[in-house]
């Protein structure tokens, strides 16, 4: 797998350039630090060639002062470099995570059908983390190491051209092998991100579905599935470490060979008087200053390769358009009334398998429309179109006789929408926090009214902490009926113009259902309501009932009219009545 070359201008434009002042300052610090480090080889030459032969105490004192100052400069620049760039890198990671999470949440519903929650968590948290090696000390050290190597080569050439050329031959070979090695390593990091996302996804699912796992006694199966993923990750990391180790060890080998040549050739030159002992020692030290950053650059390069893999995957998400960026959806709604005209709607998730076929009906303002029919008939798909969770493919939905649903800005439309699903989601927090989710700025009186209207207080009054009771992930500490009432209270609090109820009373016992029926009747007053119902007794008062089968409206009318027709609705109603 080749590296996408477009990632480099993206890094420069989006990551480095906005932080150019900090990056340039970091490079300045590392150059100052590296230049200060060059004092020690210079002082070593003076020590051997001038101080010892001449027994010059004053020069020795001066050299010691120079070395102390150089060490202090190195320490200060190292601290500032790490402090400034590491903090900025973490700041960038935080901002990038927020940016990616925001982009993920802005995607249409079909996006979440294709990506599991574990994969998305991995993209947001893990892939982004490696970026610290780009803006952190990694990029600056890479540049600083290059500058140091150039400086060192220049100084080495002034000491001995012959020795310098001997040292450059293995160095050039090492750089060539390193670049080849990175091309091998990069696909491993891409695969690592994918494997990690897959493992995370399964892990999240197994934890969320722990009751199903335990009820079917399949813990061993889940362990095997996780073990298989963990081993795939291990094999990937093993290949990555092996390739990285080969690059590093080849560098050490080549540099070792260079050192042997330098010792042999340099030692011979000292014996023959071609260079002084001080020249030889300082050359060896300067050589280490040339070699060390290059070896270090190979290590940093490995981390940069991993960062690139994560950034490529992160950019995939950032480049996705949000559903709010649909150029068709530019219309902002005024105060709406709530009437609908559904015209010639056809819809298919797969082109060869139509879900809805030529759906036509009208919904007056403030009326109640119920959808019934067998499972898989298209009821939920139709409701998802009305809720704008899916986009209309062919046909039209017109609001208030003039606003085309595909052209209305989503946020502007959804502020008028309230939804209560069959398995509505609750967050890990208190009961009051979950109800207030639909309207965080609501007053305490509004909250209390919603609680009473949905009969939430019927069970919270028995709890020690009342509305401040923490309910656990997805309300795991509550019964199905209690969770449903909290969801209904959340919709009541929002007080929307358009209401969608998907089996809103399905999880309630008879006593709770009677309470909720009364609260829903109050909630639905003056609101355009769409109901998906399997229990037909809950929709007897609906203004119109549409019986949908195989994606088509087979029957329509009020409860009384459909009973009188003695068709499919009548058969379903009689069947349920006998149960």
């Amino acid at each position: 797998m080749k590296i996408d070359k477009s990632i480099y201008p993206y890094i420069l434009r989006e990551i480095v350039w906005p932080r150019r002042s900090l990056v340039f300052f970091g490079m300045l610090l590392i150059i100052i630090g590296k230049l200060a480090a060059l004092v020690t080889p210079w002082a070593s030459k003076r020590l051997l060639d001038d101080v010892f032969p001449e027994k010059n105490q004053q020069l020795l004192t001066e050299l010691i002062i120079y070395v102390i100052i150089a060490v202090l400069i190195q320490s200060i620049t190292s601290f500032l470099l790490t402090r400034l760039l590491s903090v900025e890198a973490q700041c960038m990671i935080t901002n990038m995570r927020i940016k990616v999470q925001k982009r993920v949440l802005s995607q249409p519903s079909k996006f979440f059908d294709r990506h599991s929650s574990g994969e998305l968590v991995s993209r947001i948290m893990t892939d982004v983390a490696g970026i610290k090696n780009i803006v952190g000390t990694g990029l600056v050290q890479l540049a600083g190491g290059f500058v140091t190597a150039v400086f060192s080569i220049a100084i080495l050439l002034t000491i001995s051209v012959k020795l310098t050329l001997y040292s450059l031959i293995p160095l050039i070979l090492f750089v060539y092998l390193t670049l080849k090695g990175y091309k091998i390593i990069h696909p491993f990091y891409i695969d690592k991100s994918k494997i990690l996302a897959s493992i995370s996804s399964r892990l999240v699912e197994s934890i969320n579905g722990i009751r199903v796992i335990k009820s079917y006694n399949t813990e061993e199966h889940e362990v095997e599935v996780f073990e298989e993923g963990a081993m795939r990750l291990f094999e990937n990391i093993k290949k990555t470490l092996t390739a990285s180790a080969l690059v590093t060890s080849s560098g050490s080998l080549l540099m070792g060979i260079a050192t042997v040549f330098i010792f042999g050739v340099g030692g011979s030159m000292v014996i023959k008087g071609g260079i002084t002992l001080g020249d030889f020692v300082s050359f060896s030290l300067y050589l280490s200053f040339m070699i060390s950053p290059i070896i270090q650059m190979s290590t940093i390069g490995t981390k940069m390769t991993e960062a690139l893999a994560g950034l490529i995957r992160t950019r995939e998400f950032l480049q996705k358009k949000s559903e709010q960026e649909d150029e068709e959806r530019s219309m902002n709604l005024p105060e709406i009334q709530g009437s609908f005209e559904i015209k010639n709607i056809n819809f298919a998730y797969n082109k060869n398998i139509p879900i809805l076929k030529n759906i036509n009906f009208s919904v007056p303002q403030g009326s109640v429309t119920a959808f019934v029919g067998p499972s898989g008939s298209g009821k939920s798909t139709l409701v998802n179109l009305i809720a704008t969770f899916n986009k209309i493919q062919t046909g039209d939905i017109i609001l208030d006789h003039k606003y085309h649903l595909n052209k209305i800005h989503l946020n502007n439309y959804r502020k008028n929408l309230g939804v209560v699903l069959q398995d509505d989601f609750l967050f890990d927090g208190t009961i009051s926090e979950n109800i207030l989710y639909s309207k965080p700025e609501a007053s305490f009186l509004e909250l209390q009214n919603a609680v009473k209207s949905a009969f939430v207080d019927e069970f919270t009054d028995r709890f020690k902490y009342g509305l401040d009771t923490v309910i656990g992930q997805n309300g795991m500490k509550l019964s199905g009926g209690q969770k449903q009432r909290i969801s209904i209270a959340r919709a009541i609090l929002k007080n929307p113009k358009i209401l969608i109820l998907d089996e809103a009373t399905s999880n309630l016992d008879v006593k709770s259902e009677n309470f909720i029926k009364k609260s829903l009747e109050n909630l639905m007053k003056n609101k355009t309501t769409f109901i998906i119902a399997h229990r037909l007794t809950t929709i007897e008062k609906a203004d119109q009932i549409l019986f949908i089968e195989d994606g088509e409206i087979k029957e329509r009318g009020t409860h009384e009219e459909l009973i009188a027709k003695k068709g499919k609705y009548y058969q379903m109603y009689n069947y349920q009545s006998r149960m």
Side-chain angles (χ1 to χ4, degrees):
M1 185 184 296
K2 294 182 179 179
I3 297 176
D4 181 2
K5 297 289 181 65
S6 67
I7 195 67
Y8 298 119
Y10 174 82
I11 291 171
L12 182 63
R13 183 181 66 252
E14 300 293 335
I15 296 177
V16 177
W17 188 248
R19 300 165 180 82
R20 56 190 179 278
S21 298
L22 193 63
V23 171
F24 291 149
F25 181 61
M27 288 183 179
L28 179 62
L29 285 175
I30 204 165
I31 289 170
I32 292 172
K34 295 297 184 181
L35 288 175
L38 296 176
V39 171
T40 301
W42 170 80
S44 300
K45 171 180 167 54
R46 296 295 305 275
L47 189 69
L48 292 171
D49 289 349
D50 300 326
V51 173
F52 291 160
E54 300 175 12
K55 299 185 176 11
N56 190 333
Q57 183 64 47
Q58 182 180 351
L59 182 56
L60 176 62
T61 304
E62 290 176 3
L63 291 177
I64 291 172
I65 292 171
Y66 292 150
V67 171
I68 290 173
I69 293 172
V71 170
L72 286 174
I73 291 173
Q74 289 180 74
S75 300
I76 293 169
T77 55
S78 176
F79 170 77
L80 290 175
L81 188 68
T82 303
R83 173 67 175 79
L84 292 175
L85 293 183
S86 295
V87 170
E88 177 60 25
Q90 291 303 319
C91 178
M92 187 193 69
I93 289 171
T94 300
N95 291 333
M96 186 68 81
R97 280 175 175 156
I98 293 169
K99 195 174 179 181
V100 176
Q101 190 256 7
K102 182 179 179 181
R103 181 62 59 172
V104 166
L105 292 184
S106 72
Q107 297 305 302
S109 299
K110 61 183 180 181
F111 170 86
F112 297 93
D113 296 334
R114 295 195 302 266
H115 299 279
S116 66
S117 56
E119 179 193 354
L120 296 177
V121 169
S122 178
R123 290 283 187 104
I124 295 168
M125 298 303 294
T126 306
D127 286 354
V128 171
I131 299 174
K132 67 177 180 288
N133 293 313
I134 296 175
V135 169
T137 54
L139 180 62
V140 172
Q141 284 179 343
L142 203 61
F146 175 77
V147 172
T148 304
V150 171
F151 267 112
S152 299
I153 290 171
I155 296 171
L156 289 172
L157 286 170
T158 63
I159 298 173
S160 173
V161 174
K162 182 179 179 180
L163 285 177
T164 304
L165 292 176
Y166 271 112
S167 63
L168 285 178
I169 292 170
L171 178 64
I172 293 169
L173 183 58
F174 169 68
V175 171
Y176 172 78
L177 291 175
T178 301
L179 293 176
K180 285 289 184 182
Y182 289 154
K183 289 184 178 180
I184 297 172
I185 294 171
H186 178 73
F188 295 154
Y189 283 120
I190 293 288
D191 291 341
K192 177 185 174 183
S193 298
K194 293 178 180 178
I195 295 169
L196 194 58
S198 175
I199 294 172
S200 300
S201 175
R202 184 68 185 206
L203 196 56
V204 169
E205 288 177 353
S206 63
I207 292 171
N208 288 338
I210 189 63
R211 283 176 171 76
V212 174
I213 291 170
K214 288 188 175 296
S215 64
Y216 287 100
N217 195 31
T218 54
E219 289 96 332
E220 281 298 320
H221 172 70
E222 289 302 315
V223 169
E224 289 173 6
V225 171
F226 181 79
E227 184 180 356
E228 189 271 334
M231 289 305 298
R232 280 194 296 125
L233 182 62
F234 167 71
E235 291 297 328
N236 173 276
I237 293 173
K238 184 170 72 172
K239 291 176 183 177
T240 305
L241 291 175
T242 302
S244 300
L246 283 172
V247 170
T248 305
S249 60
S250 65
S252 300
L253 176 62
L254 291 169
M255 294 306 108
I257 293 171
T259 303
V260 171
F261 275 118
I262 299 306
F263 269 57
V265 176
S268 177
M269 291 175 70
V270 171
I271 292 171
K272 293 176 181 178
I275 58 174
T276 67
L277 179 60
D279 286 332
F280 177 76
V281 172
S282 63
F283 186 93
S284 300
L285 293 173
Y286 282 126
L287 182 63
S288 69
F289 277 100
M290 180 187 74
I291 292 173
S292 295
I294 292 174
I295 298 290
Q296 186 182 37
M297 281 192 289
S298 69
T299 304
I300 295 169
T302 303
K303 293 180 179 179
M304 293 280 282
T305 303
E306 183 175 12
L308 285 175
L311 186 58
I312 289 170
R313 282 167 56 83
T314 299
R315 191 177 61 148
E316 287 177 13
F317 275 8
L318 292 177
Q319 288 179 329
K320 291 181 181 295
K321 280 190 174 183
S322 75
E323 58 180 353
Q324 307 293 344
E325 293 173 322
D326 190 337
E327 293 178 358
E328 277 189 74
R329 297 188 178 279
S330 57
M331 182 184 297
N332 286 321
L333 290 173
E335 183 91 12
I336 68 167
Q337 302 303 313
S339 68
F340 284 84
E341 296 172 63
I342 285 79
K343 295 184 175 181
N344 304 315
I345 291 294
N346 292 275
F347 188 88
Y349 296 105
N350 185 316
K351 291 182 180 180
N352 300 322
I353 308 175
I355 303 298
L356 297 175
K357 309 167 192 173
N358 198 33
I359 300 293
N360 291 272
F361 63 95
S362 296
V363 179
Q365 169 193 345
S367 65
V368 177
T369 299
F371 305 118
V372 300
S375 297
S377 60
K379 304 185 297 296
S380 294
T381 300
L382 182 54
V383 164
N384 285 339
L385 292 175
I386 295 169
T388 64
F389 295 156
N390 291 328
K391 191 173 181 180
I392 302 162
Q393 293 172 345
T394 61
D396 204 357
I397 297 179
I398 303 173
L399 177 64
D400 290 349
H401 307 290
K402 54 184 175 180
Y403 305 118
H404 298 268
L405 205 57
N406 264 8
K407 296 183 178 180
I408 300 172
H409 196 279
L410 287 173
N411 284 345
N412 199 244
Y413 174 73
R414 288 175 182 169
K415 70 181 182 182
N416 297 287
L417 185 67
V419 179
V420 179
L421 302 175
Q422 182 174 357
D423 295 309
D424 221 342
F425 186 83
L426 299 180
F427 296 91
D428 185 5
T430 65
I431 294 172
S432 61
E433 286 171 346
N434 273 277
I435 296 173
L436 287 168
Y437 192 78
S438 64
K439 190 178 178 182
E441 73 282 3
S443 66
F444 179 74
L445 181 60
E446 288 177 304
L447 173 63
Q448 287 297 317
N449 288 336
V451 166
K452 290 178 181 178
S453 296
F455 295 92
V456 172
D457 57 340
E458 187 270 331
F459 62 86
T460 56
D461 286 347
R462 301 194 301 270
F463 293 168
K464 181 178 179 180
Y465 298 106
L467 292 176
D468 293 326
T469 301
V470 176
I471 60 176
Q473 186 177 4
N474 199 19
M476 62 183 298
K477 296 179 182 179
L478 302 175
S479 69
Q482 290 169 341
K483 289 163 60 176
Q484 200 75 335
R485 277 185 268 178
I486 291 173
S487 299
I488 293 170
R490 186 159 60 191
I492 291 172
L493 183 65
K494 185 177 181 181
N495 193 26
K497 289 286 184 68
I498 304 162
L499 187 64
I500 293 177
L501 306 175
D502 184 353
E503 284 297 308
T505 61
S506 62
N507 289 327
L508 303 177
D509 54 46
V510 175
K511 180 181 177 182
S512 296
E513 182 179 344
N514 290 332
F515 285 143
I516 295 303
K517 277 184 180 180
K518 293 175 184 177
S519 66
L520 288 178
E521 287 174 8
N522 294 329
L523 172 64
M524 291 188 293
K525 283 180 181 177
N526 302 318
K527 294 177 179 62
T528 304
T529 305
F530 299 92
I531 303 175
I532 294 179
H534 291 290
R535 296 167 65 174
L536 304 187
T537 56
T538 62
I539 57 167
E540 292 177 356
K541 295 181 180 180
D543 296 296
Q544 66 173 330
I545 299 170
L546 306 180
F547 189 96
I548 301 175
E549 188 176 42
D550 296 328
E552 298 179 286
I553 299 175
K554 300 293 186 180
E555 297 177 5
R556 69 180 76 201
T558 63
H559 171 73
E560 290 78 11
E561 291 169 345
L562 293 176
I563 291 295
K565 286 182 180 179
K566 295 190 176 182
K568 294 177 180 293
Y569 178 85
Y570 171 80
Q571 294 171 8
M572 182 180 284
Y573 187 82
N574 274 348
Y575 175 77
Q576 289 188 6
S577 298
R578 293 194 299 268
M579 290 179 66

